[in-house]
Amino acid sequence: MGIKLAKSLKLQNDKLWSLDYSHGLLATGSTDRKIKIINVTNAPRGQVSLMDVLDDTVHKKAIRCVAWRPHSNLLAAGSFDSTVSIWTREDDLEEEEDDDEGEGTTNSLEMDLLAIIEGHENEVKGIAWSHDGALLSSCSRDKSVWIWETDQDGEEYECISVLQEHSQDVKHVVWHPELPLLASSSYDDTIRLWKDYDDDWECAAVLNGHEGTVWCSDFEKGKNGESIRLCSGSDDSTVRVWRYIDDDEDGQQEWICEAILPKVHDRQIYSVSWSTNGLIASTGSDGTLAVYKEVSNGDDEHDWEVIAKQELCHGVYEANIVKWIDINGNMMLATGGDDGCVNLWNWTD
Amino acid sequence: MTLKFHFPLIIQTIKNHSTIFLSVLTLEAQEYHIMSTLLSEEDLNDFISPALACTKPTVVNKEPVNVNENGEYEVTKEPTELEKVSITLSDCLACSGCITSSEEIMLSRQSYSVFLRDWEDSRATKTLCVSVAPQCRVSMAAHFQMSILELDLALVRLFREHFGARYVVGTQMGRNLTISRTNAKLMELKAQGKLNEKPMLSAICPGFVIYTEKTKPGLAPLLLNVKSPQQITGALFLDAMAEGQEMYHLTVMPCFDKKLEASRADGEHEVHCVITPKELVSMLEELELDLASFKSQDEKLLWEASPAGWDPRVHWSSNEGSSSGGYAYQYVLETQSLHPGSKMITLPGKNSNVVEYRLLDTEGHTLASAAELSGFRNIQNMVRQLDKKAVGQKRKVQVLRKRATSSMRNMNLDSKGTGNGIADPYKTDYIEVNASPGGCINGGGLLNDEQSTVRKRALAQELSELYSHSFTLVDPVKLGRQQHTTSSLEYEFHAVEQDTQKDLVTVGNTW
């Protein structure tokens, strides 16, 4: 059981803020305004290849976040220049639905700009696609969370909601993997949950408890909506697990903080990721990558344990993001840091 | 009044352990005492919130460089005291950013406490004129469990007997003028073919006007320049003043942005203080007054509280159309009256806060159309549609062949006149825009104490229903054409130059 470095890639000339994986491809975004696309199909064996570098004149400032659209080859990127760009693979426009396998045979691909979404007043901090790819959410230093609706092509975006309840900078947004439920994390130390009431999106719950900026959250996966849990990482150096209990009479969701994970970090936690098989990974300012597992403790009780820890995973630099990626059944961890590197880690249970 | 700020330097650590210096605006605490305690930040969510960065240039008065007769510099000490900078409400209205929040300044200048103090000072010399917007009357009638007439009479007695008001009126006279002027302008533009490209936008909602001026200056030319009933009512009051008589106009309005409208340089003399029903209720509590004790059956009071020539059956009435004033509907309605045989159809929008009225001739061609559109998300989509021009060129967006035309495109690109059953607001002649979702009847200043969003929404819906059958309806166009006023009924819009360098680092910013 443990973390072992499979590959370290010096990709960017400045801070690497964000990465996202889909269909064998890893996309990265950086302060150097470059978005890079890497084929990581053979990453478990230490082989990767650079597929494309996207036009770095499109955004005028740092790329803060990247996200692949589910069931398609569209990539969304959010920038400090207040816009979100949408990119597509030209060769795929002719294709029907893509299949899950078979990527990685080509050595290059070309992605073109498809759309620019304007609306935020200043830095876009986070973007996320809903599980069906129909909705895109973005959040910004302007304290708002926006929800955009798009069509199959992903070329036209219509704003269907602007959520302004956060009192500070919104750092991150994430959708539930199966349900139309959105979580946003903020500099106001809270997480807000949003859901669709009839015609408009409304705040369904506010999670209070963190004693500092909440940088990131992630939903538990593979529960088919039977139970809903969320983990979150904060400036207060803690990772918390929250559980949805029930709706009250006014349709507001009741949530509880179910657990505070064992303390690993001594500085800000910038990123958390909940794997499909129930493990939580966290990383942050101290450069430590930690993996936690929920273990049975008697009858109905569960505790979380730290089962692996990798210090200084980007040397002396801060680590900004961690994500579990499943490459043809191989569980890996991808981290990105201020050193401009993506590190790919093999995970063994 | 002017608030004073000073600019201490603070140090804030941001991610990556670097240190930067930030200027922080700090309100001097003693300036706050006039703010009514009732209003908290949450009450002020008037749906379009201000930008974070104050862009008012902070002019530092440097000591003149000391050059002596020999052309040598003389070294002097840096001034140790930082200059105090004063920021007035008009600075805020003229600015594209915003300080901690312009609402704080707005409140300090326009609140019931200010009214009570001002009125105490000027009671002996000025004539108090009070106007009440119809949405506020619906909200207060529901709150106090009175009929609209009972409420109107109670308000008349309250303001006359307790405050010594001379006039207490509804705002329909003002609205008649707003509507008739709006229609006249639209019809003229329509005849000149000037509405073919883009629709005109109503300037009735101050939230939207200020948003446009500050953040979408490109759209400012589309604002149809006719003042709102609030301002025109003030202008009509001015006309009703005798020689040497000085007016103090207090108005009760459904939303806080109306305070900003009253502070515009182009209408300042028309309205002196704006309060909302929320504040009115708090004021009554503070003064230990019970509105029910002012109930009356005597409708003569309504006449006694009206200026000469003002028929209370008119100024306390309303008209057909939306609960925000019915501007879109009234435009299409008047056009219809000029085209015998034409038919008006109502088209629902993509959500409940968009609706279009379309006038069709006997062959189904569109003669005129107008839309009601409200809420920030709809305003955003509208702005994106109408202000589209540059995006493509500026950004080199690849134009890619589509697999299929999406349904959304179909809707947006549908040409004028093909009645496909869905509202197409951007293709109409005129859009009645309101920042509050659902319009003025959902204003942030109305009495809606429900805690949950679901219940809040349900109450807003009830009020909207109530509004639609609470008033006798008049023909605002006919009446408006008969009314006259000596004042200008137009604003002076000021599209604020966008600061191209929007790289301001503001308080609370970390990566």
Side-chain angles (χ1 to χ4, degrees):
Chain A
M1 188 155 60
I3 307 167
K4 191 160 176 288
L5 185 66
K7 190 79 186 173
S8 180
L9 300 163
K10 171 69 177 166
L11 286 173
Q12 320 277 171
N13 291 322
D14 208 327
K15 295 184 190 72
L16 193 148
W17 284 114
S18 176
L19 56 83
D20 196 31
Y21 171 80
S22 171
H23 298 102
L25 297 176
L26 191 72
T28 62
S30 158
T31 299
D32 68 12
R33 306 203 307 275
K34 286 189 170 62
I35 298 167
K36 295 197 175 179
I37 311 293
I38 324 293
N39 184 335
V40 292
T41 315
N42 294 316
R45 288 168 295 284
Q47 290 165 3
V48 297
S49 56
L50 178 66
M51 304 294 279
D52 195 15
V53 181
L54 309 194
D55 181 356
D56 63 359
T57 63
V58 167
H59 285 294
K60 297 187 180 68
K61 292 186 188 173
I63 311 292
R64 177 65 178 83
C65 44
V66 288
W68 291 104
R69 185 187 192 186
H71 322 298
S72 84
N73 289 308
L74 289 192
L75 180 75
S79 166
F80 282 175
D81 71 8
S82 85
T83 66
V84 173
S85 55
I86 305 292
W87 305 78
T88 186
R89 283 168 63 172
E90 198 159 11
D91 51 305
D92 289 316
L93 284 179
E94 306 304 319
E95 288 176 18
E96 279 301 294
E97 281 297 297
D98 55 288
D99 50 311
D100 283 9
E101 307 299 323
E103 297 286 349
T105 48
T106 53
N107 288 324
S108 80
L109 58 87
E110 204 165 300
M111 296 198 73
D112 288 311
L113 183 62
L114 185 65
I116 289 278
I117 309 175
E118 292 180 324
H120 282 294
E121 277 177 23
N122 45 43
E123 291 92 331
V124 174
K125 297 293 178 75
I127 44 171
W129 294 94
S130 63
H131 67 95
D132 58 1
L135 302 175
L136 177 69
S137 173
S138 58
C139 64
S140 159
R141 185 166 73 80
D142 67 14
K143 309 178 193 174
S144 65
V145 174
W146 294 47
I147 299 175
W148 310 87
E149 188 175 57
T150 189
D151 53 10
Q152 195 189 351
D153 301 336
E155 198 168 348
E156 298 277 342
Y157 291 80
E158 173 144 339
C159 166
I160 59 165
S161 209
V162 180
L163 309 166
Q164 310 198 53
E165 277 94 327
H166 276 298
S167 63
Q168 295 292 341
D169 194 358
V170 188
K171 299 293 188 185
H172 181 264
V173 280
V174 63
W175 289 92
H176 189 276
E178 291 130 15
L179 304 168
L181 181 65
L182 180 74
S184 59
S185 307
S186 167
Y187 185 68
D188 67 12
D189 303 353
T190 70
I191 299 155
R192 283 180 181 264
L193 280 301
W194 310 90
K195 71 175 187 183
D196 188 5
Y197 290 87
D198 257 350
D199 191 18
D200 207 352
W201 287 76
E202 307 259 0
C203 184
V206 185
L207 309 188
N208 287 297
H210 277 299
E211 290 162 3
T213 300
V214 188
W215 284 94
C216 183
S217 70
D218 198 18
F219 284 101
E220 184 176 21
K221 288 149 187 90
K223 292 287 172 185
N224 296 316
E226 279 170 20
S227 72
I228 304 173
R229 288 198 293 174
L230 183 81
C231 65
S232 59
S234 157
D235 259 7
D236 68 10
S237 310
T238 67
V239 177
R240 289 170 197 243
V241 175
W242 311 81
R243 179 187 287 276
Y244 161 73
I245 303 298
D246 205 353
D247 278 6
D248 71 13
E249 59 210 19
D250 294 330
Q252 288 285 295
Q253 294 186 343
E254 288 174 44
W255 285 71
I256 55 157
C257 179
E258 186 181 71
I260 298 178
L261 303 200
K263 186 172 171 65
V264 174
H265 300 281
D266 53 18
R267 296 183 61 90
Q268 294 94 330
I269 296 169
Y270 292 141
S271 184
V272 288
S273 180
W274 204 322
S275 77
T276 48
N277 57 353
L279 303 176
I280 292 176
S282 67
T283 195
S285 177
D286 60 7
T288 300
L289 171 61
V291 177
Y292 315 80
K293 186 178 185 177
E294 195 169 28
V295 290
S296 175
N297 167 24
D299 306 323
D300 270 342
E301 296 290 303
H302 287 87
D303 278 334
W304 287 87
E305 285 178 359
V306 180
I307 55 168
K309 194 168 127 177
Q310 173 72 44
E311 287 179 351
L312 301 175
C313 65
H314 284 263
V316 297
Y317 292 93
E318 295 192 322
N320 295 318
I321 186 157
V322 59
K323 273 195 183 163
W324 288 100
I325 58 179
D326 180 346
I327 301 174
N328 302 325
N330 292 302
M331 284 298 286
M332 295 188 82
L333 283 155
T335 57
D338 278 358
D339 55 359
C341 291
V342 164
N343 288 343
L344 295 164
W345 310 83
N346 279 318
W347 171 256
T348 44
D349 267 328
Chain B
M1 87 141 272
T2 296
L3 286 182
K4 293 192 179 58
F5 295 82
H6 56 259
F7 293 76
L9 287 173
I10 63 149
I11 301 165
Q12 184 170 352
T13 311
I14 60 165
K15 178 175 179 293
N16 242 12
H17 330 307
S18 54
T19 312
I20 54 166
F21 289 88
L22 297 175
S23 287
V24 182
L25 289 162
T26 319
L27 276 164
E28 286 189 6
Q30 69 268 26
E31 300 285 353
Y32 270 108
H33 69 279
I34 43 168
M35 271 174 55
S36 53
T37 48
L38 144 89
L39 289 161
S40 64
E41 200 191 337
E42 291 117 73
D43 292 325
L44 290 168
N45 187 353
D46 266 327
F47 307 102
I48 293 181
S49 52
L52 290 173
C54 178
T55 55
K56 179 174 163 88
T58 50
V59 183
V60 179
N61 288 329
K62 285 212 174 114
E63 299 262 313
V65 179
N66 296 300
V67 184
N68 65 20
E69 292 128 30
N70 305 327
E72 295 162 338
Y73 287 102
E74 281 178 9
V75 181
T76 57
K77 240 173 69 180
E78 289 276 330
T80 46
E81 283 280 318
L82 284 162
E83 277 280 314
K84 282 200 172 178
V85 177
S86 62
I87 296 177
T88 64
L89 185 52
S90 54
D91 285 327
C92 291
L93 294 180
C95 161
S96 71
C98 194
I99 322 174
T100 44
S101 68
S102 66
E103 287 93 346
E104 280 163 358
I105 296 170
M106 162 182 97
L107 272 188
S108 66
R109 169 154 166 170
Q110 302 224 3
S111 69
Y112 77 80
S113 319
V114 169
F115 162 67
L116 291 176
R117 195 192 56 197
D118 280 1
W119 184 234
E120 205 51 52
D121 291 349
S122 48
R123 200 169 180 145
T125 56
K126 293 184 184 170
T127 304
L128 179 60
C129 303
V130 181
S131 62
V132 191
Q135 300 87 1
C136 302
R137 290 152 60 204
V138 170
S139 172
M140 288 188 285
H143 180 84
F144 289 108
Q145 296 178 318
M146 293 184 192
S147 70
I148 294 282
L149 180 63
E150 282 175 325
L151 177 89
D152 293 347
L153 282 164
L155 289 176
V156 166
R157 280 193 61 203
L158 166 75
F159 282 111
R160 284 174 59 95
E161 292 170 22
H162 187 83
F163 296 102
R166 176 66 192 89
Y167 303 123
V168 184
V169 302
T171 54
Q172 186 64 27
M173 298 270 283
R175 198 196 265 178
N176 289 342
L177 274 169
T178 305
I179 291 172
S180 56
R181 292 294 170 100
T182 297
N183 286 4
K185 284 195 175 217
L186 285 174
M187 286 172 176
E188 195 185 331
L189 291 168
K190 178 82 173 169
Q192 294 166 349
K194 288 182 179 164
L195 301 178
N196 296 344
E197 287 293 309
K198 286 178 178 177
M200 295 300 284
L201 310 175
S202 70
I204 310 306
C205 172
F208 174 65
V209 171
I210 293 161
Y211 175 74
T212 305
E213 287 182 296
K214 284 185 178 183
T215 68
K216 306 288 169 197
L219 290 187
L222 296 184
L223 291 170
L224 189 77
N225 198 350
V226 180
K227 280 186 177 175
S228 75
Q230 164 178 304
Q231 297 303 123
I232 296 181
T233 300
L236 291 172
F237 269 140
L238 278 174
D239 290 344
M241 292 296 110
E243 190 70 31
Q245 201 176 8
E246 205 184 336
M247 165 181 94
Y248 187 98
H249 182 192
L250 172 74
T251 185
V252 186
M253 285 286 148
C255 107
F256 296 96
D257 286 339
K258 284 287 181 186
K259 295 169 189 274
L260 289 169
E261 182 181 23
S263 307
R264 296 179 69 97
D266 50 15
E268 221 165 1
H269 56 289
E270 292 162 347
V271 180
H272 299 90
C273 190
V274 179
I275 60 170
T276 61
K278 268 186 186 161
E279 290 166 277
L280 182 64
V281 166
S282 300
M283 181 170 83
L284 293 178
E285 279 167 12
E286 188 180 303
L287 299 174
E288 295 178 0
L289 293 172
D290 177 11
L291 193 62
S293 70
F294 291 93
K295 273 191 181 178
S296 169
Q297 305 289 322
D298 186 3
E299 293 184 35
K300 278 208 303 293
L301 289 172
L302 300 179
W303 287 92
E304 286 165 17
S306 305
W310 293 42
D311 185 338
R313 290 165 303 186
V314 174
H315 67 70
W316 289 109
S317 70
S318 181
N319 55 268
E320 276 188 276
S322 74
S323 55
S324 309
Y327 308 101
Y329 180 83
Q330 288 292 336
Y331 161 65
V332 180
L333 192 67
E334 189 183 358
T335 311
Q336 185 181 22
S337 72
L338 305 174
H339 293 89
S342 61
K343 192 177 82 174
M344 194 201 297
I345 56 169
T346 304
L347 302 169
K350 206 180 172 199
N351 55 60
S352 62
N353 293 330
V354 177
V355 66
E356 179 185 342
Y357 305 106
R358 200 178 285 175
L359 188 67
L360 304 173
D361 66 13
T362 46
E363 287 167 5
H365 295 117
T366 303
L367 293 165
S369 57
E372 292 160 14
L373 183 151
S374 65
F376 191 49
R377 62 173 167 163
N378 290 321
I379 287 177
Q380 271 307 314
N381 288 318
M382 179 185 79
V383 161
R384 279 152 43 83
Q385 282 289 329
L386 298 182
D387 206 11
K388 228 171 185 177
K389 53 184 199 300
V391 178
Q393 305 153 11
K394 204 167 67 195
R395 300 286 188 161
K396 303 183 295 182
V397 174
Q398 199 86 12
V399 181
L400 294 163
R401 196 163 292 129
K402 289 173 194 301
R403 275 178 284 199
T405 318
S406 71
S407 57
M408 199 172 81
R409 287 211 123 217
N410 256 335
M411 203 182 79
N412 287 340
L413 299 179
D414 198 18
S415 66
K416 215 173 218 182
T418 58
N420 65 349
I422 296 181
D424 193 1
Y426 320 127
K427 299 280 183 193
T428 62
D429 302 331
Y430 174 69
I431 308 179
E432 175 186 324
V433 189
N434 279 288
S436 306
C440 298
I441 197 65
N442 188 28
L446 297 179
L447 298 155
N448 193 337
D449 292 332
E450 295 296 348
Q451 291 305 311
S452 81
T453 46
V454 174
R455 288 196 196 171
K456 265 192 198 305
R457 185 177 288 198
L459 180 60
Q461 188 59 39
E462 276 170 39
L463 290 183
S464 195
E465 291 287 316
L466 204 55
Y467 182 96
S468 65
H469 56 256
S470 285
F471 301 101
T472 49
L473 303 177
V474 295
D475 179 350
V477 177
K478 199 174 129 207
L479 292 167
R481 298 267 148 82
Q482 294 162 1
Q483 289 171 216
H484 297 284
T485 173
T486 51
S487 306
S488 162
L489 302 185
E490 299 190 356
Y491 296 104
E492 291 156 27
F493 294 126
H494 299 285
V496 178
E497 290 281 314
Q498 290 284 295
D499 193 349
T500 44
Q501 196 212 335
K502 262 201 157 184
D503 291 353
L504 295 166
V505 180
T506 47
V507 185
N509 171 40
T510 59
W511 306 113

